[in-house]
């Protein structure tokens, strides 16, 4: 699973890569048994100029994008048909030099924990740091206190 995430993130670098994770929640252990990249989303048309920031924001929002939600549900349905672990346990994204905490990241994780399961995780693979010799792979989850503050609009990125 780790190798699939690393490969996907490295192939799309410097563009943000995202995908979803499947596995099992066994007692106090979250087991990730497979990962699948989200299909590439074309950015909305602009005035003819290539806007890297718009593409990056659009890609970063991918986990909660309607087409990707449908894609996840179809993949999980097919995995169940062949009797493979098919519980959505989170999502992954790539980062560049530790730069990944933003509103999209928070909204995606909030969506996963609220809609799917409070124990879902976000895995972040930092491609730039990993290329310097040591693997940079971290898992994150929003705390219950943060989830409540975000729900009540008591959180801003400013």
């Amino acid at each position: 699973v780790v190798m699939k995430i690393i490969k996907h993130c490295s192939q799309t670098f410097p563009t943000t890569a995202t995908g979803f994770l499947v596995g099992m929640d066994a007692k106090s252990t979250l087991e990730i048994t497979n990962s699948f990249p989200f299909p590439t989303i074309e950015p909305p048309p602009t005035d003819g100029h290539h806007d890297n920031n718009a593409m990056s924001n659009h890609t970063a929002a991918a986990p909660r994008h309607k087409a990707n939600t449908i894609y996840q549900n179809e993949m999980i349905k097919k995995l169940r048909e062949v009797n493979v672990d098919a519980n959505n346990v989170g999502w992954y994204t790539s980062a560049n030099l530790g730069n990944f905490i933003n509103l999209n990241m928070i909204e995606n994780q909030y969506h996963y924990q609220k809609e799917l399961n409070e124990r879902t995780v976000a895995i972040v693979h930092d491609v730039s740091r990993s290329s310097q010799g040591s693997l940079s792979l971290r898992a994150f989850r929003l705390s219950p206190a943060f989830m409540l503050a975000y729900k009540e609009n008591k959180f801003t990125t400013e």
Side-chain angles (χ1 to χ4, degrees):
V1 177
V2 170
M3 295 305 291
K4 286 176 71 174
I5 293 171
I6 291 169
K7 180 180 178 185
H8 179 223
C9 294
S10 297
Q11 287 176 337
T12 61
F13 185 78
T15 304
T16 303
T18 56
F20 72 101
L21 307 168
V22 294
M24 295 178 14
D25 187 358
K27 297 182 183 177
S28 63
T29 304
L30 190 64
E31 296 177 18
I32 300 172
T33 57
N34 214 337
S35 66
F36 299 94
F38 287 123
T40 305
I41 298 172
E42 294 299 321
T46 59
D47 58 0
H49 294 82
H50 183 68
D51 187 356
N52 276 342
N53 197 26
M55 178 62 174
S56 182
N57 285 339
H58 199 66
T59 303
R64 63 182 189 282
H65 193 271
K66 184 177 181 176
N68 286 337
T69 302
I70 294 168
Y71 172 73
Q72 286 179 80
N73 291 337
E74 286 297 313
M75 285 295 290
I76 288 172
K77 180 180 170 187
K78 290 180 186 328
L79 288 170
R80 284 193 178 127
E81 288 174 3
V82 294
N83 204 23
V84 176
D85 296 339
N87 298 312
N88 196 328
V89 295
W91 63 289
Y92 69 88
T93 187
S94 61
N96 185 10
L97 295 174
N99 192 10
F100 65 92
I101 297 182
N102 56 35
L103 190 56
N104 277 328
M105 168 77 171
I106 293 167
E107 287 175 349
N108 287 331
Q109 187 59 23
Y110 179 81
H111 167 78
Y112 268 76
Q113 285 185 229
K114 179 178 173 266
E115 301 297 326
L116 299 174
N117 179 349
E118 65 187 19
R119 290 181 39 88
T120 59
V121 295
I123 303 285
V124 178
H125 172 58
D126 193 322
V127 179
S128 298
R129 288 195 175 153
S130 293
S131 69
Q132 296 171 353
S134 64
L135 178 63
S136 177
L137 194 68
R138 299 184 283 172
F140 295 91
R141 185 181 293 146
L142 300 176
S143 70
F146 184 90
M147 292 286 290
L148 184 61
Y150 189 83
K151 180 181 176 182
E152 295 173 352
N153 292 322
K154 294 181 179 177
F155 169 80
T156 65
T157 57
E158 298 164 8

